[in-house]
Every structure is written in structure tokens, then in C-alpha cells.
Amino acid sequence: MRDLATRADGARLLPTTMHVGAPEGEHVDIAVEPWHDSGLRTDLVAAALGALDEPAFAGALPWLTRGGDLATWEADLLWCAAALAGYARFGRTPPGFFVVTRRGWGNLLSGEVHAWHRVRPSRYRG
């Protein structure tokens, strides 16, 4: 999750986007629109899961990237509900629902939150 925020650090505005899959691997990005209703959000998450290859599907994570702070927003809850329903269509429960901002990340299902003041790219990659 820190790598996602590091890559977004140069962006002035982090667009609200729903993602399903592996953050550093195969994943599907879903453009978030204000007119998406609960049924369409669930259909989009289920379609994203169904589009993944088997290895990516097996370990697929749902995460939402957006601007702003780490407080829980209404959009976070709406997409979390859609992820739970979309995964349920495959008889699965997501391992978490992650919200990633430039200020950190949180898992809405576990309540875990990791915040940082400034994300700096690592100079050393080993």
C-alpha cells in the first residue's frame, strides 16, 4: 500500500478509482462515477473479479484510491459494500477493503490504519 501512495505522491489530485486484483500485478481499475448505484457497483466489482486470471483471482484484493484524509468517507463505505457483495457472488470474502490516499491507508474491515506525513520513494531497491 505504501508503494501505491509513493507512486501517487507527485499527483496533485488522486482520482477516486476502485481496483480489484494485485496492487503490484494484474488488476482491474474501475472509474468511480457519482451516478453508480449499489447494484452497478456490485456488478462492476464482480465483473472485475471475473476478468482476472486464476492466480490473480485467488489472491485478489479490493482497494479504493482517492484524495483527502484517512477519515472514512461515504464513498469508502459504498464501495466496501459493493466489494463484499461482489466477492460473495463467487462464494468468497475479501481479505480486507483498503482505502489508499496520499496520507496513508486503512482497512475498513479490520479497522487497521497506517498514516504517514510525507511519502518518500526508496532510494535503494534490493
Short mmCIF file of all heavy atoms in Angstrom, two decimals, residues 21 23 38 42 44 50 78-79 83 86 98 118-120:
data_model
loop_
_atom_site.label_atom_id
_atom_site.label_comp_id
_atom_site.label_asym_id
_atom_site.label_seq_id
_atom_site.Cartn_x
_atom_site.Cartn_y
_atom_site.Cartn_z
N GLY A 21 -7.71 -6.84 -7.58
CA GLY A 21 -6.61 -7.67 -8.06
C GLY A 21 -5.40 -7.53 -7.17
O GLY A 21 -5.52 -7.42 -5.95
N PRO A 23 -2.12 -5.24 -6.21
CA PRO A 23 -1.61 -3.87 -6.39
C PRO A 23 -0.37 -3.79 -7.28
O PRO A 23 -0.24 -2.87 -8.07
CB PRO A 23 -1.29 -3.42 -4.96
CG PRO A 23 -2.21 -4.21 -4.11
CD PRO A 23 -2.32 -5.56 -4.79
N SER A 38 -25.88 1.09 -6.09
CA SER A 38 -25.32 -0.07 -5.38
C SER A 38 -25.27 -1.31 -6.27
O SER A 38 -24.30 -2.07 -6.23
CB SER A 38 -26.10 -0.36 -4.10
OG SER A 38 -27.44 -0.70 -4.40
N THR A 42 -21.76 -3.24 -7.40
CA THR A 42 -21.57 -4.67 -7.15
C THR A 42 -21.27 -5.40 -8.46
O THR A 42 -20.36 -6.24 -8.51
CB THR A 42 -22.80 -5.28 -6.47
OG1 THR A 42 -23.00 -4.62 -5.22
CG2 THR A 42 -22.65 -6.77 -6.25
N LEU A 44 -19.90 -4.19 -11.14
CA LEU A 44 -18.56 -3.82 -11.60
C LEU A 44 -17.47 -4.58 -10.84
O LEU A 44 -16.50 -5.04 -11.44
CB LEU A 44 -18.36 -2.31 -11.47
CG LEU A 44 -19.17 -1.45 -12.44
CD1 LEU A 44 -19.10 0.03 -12.04
CD2 LEU A 44 -18.69 -1.64 -13.86
N GLY A 50 -14.18 -11.48 -12.13
CA GLY A 50 -14.33 -12.49 -13.18
C GLY A 50 -13.35 -12.30 -14.32
O GLY A 50 -13.03 -13.25 -15.04
N LEU A 78 -19.66 2.79 0.53
CA LEU A 78 -20.44 2.29 -0.62
C LEU A 78 -19.65 1.26 -1.42
O LEU A 78 -20.19 0.21 -1.79
CB LEU A 78 -20.86 3.46 -1.51
CG LEU A 78 -21.82 4.48 -0.90
CD1 LEU A 78 -22.01 5.67 -1.84
CD2 LEU A 78 -23.16 3.83 -0.57
N TRP A 79 -18.38 1.54 -1.68
CA TRP A 79 -17.56 0.60 -2.45
C TRP A 79 -17.17 -0.62 -1.63
O TRP A 79 -17.02 -1.72 -2.17
CB TRP A 79 -16.35 1.30 -3.06
CG TRP A 79 -16.76 2.07 -4.27
CD1 TRP A 79 -17.04 3.41 -4.34
CD2 TRP A 79 -17.02 1.55 -5.58
NE1 TRP A 79 -17.44 3.74 -5.60
CE2 TRP A 79 -17.43 2.62 -6.39
CE3 TRP A 79 -16.92 0.28 -6.13
CZ2 TRP A 79 -17.75 2.46 -7.74
CZ3 TRP A 79 -17.24 0.11 -7.48
CH2 TRP A 79 -17.65 1.19 -8.26
N ALA A 83 -17.87 -4.38 -2.76
CA ALA A 83 -16.81 -5.41 -2.78
C ALA A 83 -17.29 -6.65 -2.03
O ALA A 83 -17.11 -7.78 -2.52
CB ALA A 83 -15.52 -4.88 -2.17
N GLY A 86 -19.85 -8.28 -4.29
CA GLY A 86 -19.23 -8.82 -5.50
C GLY A 86 -18.44 -10.08 -5.22
O GLY A 86 -18.51 -11.06 -5.97
N PHE A 98 -9.37 -1.93 1.36
CA PHE A 98 -8.35 -0.94 1.61
C PHE A 98 -8.67 0.39 0.93
O PHE A 98 -9.10 0.41 -0.22
CB PHE A 98 -6.99 -1.45 1.14
CG PHE A 98 -6.62 -2.75 1.78
CD1 PHE A 98 -6.96 -3.97 1.19
CD2 PHE A 98 -5.97 -2.77 3.00
CE1 PHE A 98 -6.65 -5.17 1.80
CE2 PHE A 98 -5.65 -3.96 3.62
CZ PHE A 98 -6.00 -5.17 3.02
N ARG A 118 4.78 12.27 5.10
CA ARG A 118 5.30 12.51 3.76
C ARG A 118 5.87 11.20 3.23
O ARG A 118 6.74 10.60 3.85
CB ARG A 118 6.38 13.57 3.78
CG ARG A 118 6.86 13.92 2.41
CD ARG A 118 7.79 15.10 2.46
NE ARG A 118 8.26 15.36 1.11
CZ ARG A 118 9.20 16.20 0.83
NH1 ARG A 118 9.77 16.88 1.78
NH2 ARG A 118 9.60 16.37 -0.40
N VAL A 119 5.40 10.80 2.07
CA VAL A 119 5.90 9.56 1.47
C VAL A 119 7.10 9.91 0.61
O VAL A 119 7.05 10.81 -0.22
CB VAL A 119 4.81 8.91 0.60
CG1 VAL A 119 5.34 7.67 -0.07
CG2 VAL A 119 3.60 8.60 1.43
N ARG A 120 8.20 9.20 0.86
CA ARG A 120 9.39 9.41 0.07
C ARG A 120 9.74 8.10 -0.65
O ARG A 120 9.73 7.05 -0.04
CB ARG A 120 10.56 9.81 0.95
CG ARG A 120 10.37 11.16 1.60
CD ARG A 120 11.54 11.44 2.50
NE ARG A 120 11.31 12.62 3.25
CZ ARG A 120 11.99 13.74 3.08
NH1 ARG A 120 12.98 13.80 2.23
NH2 ARG A 120 11.71 14.80 3.81
#
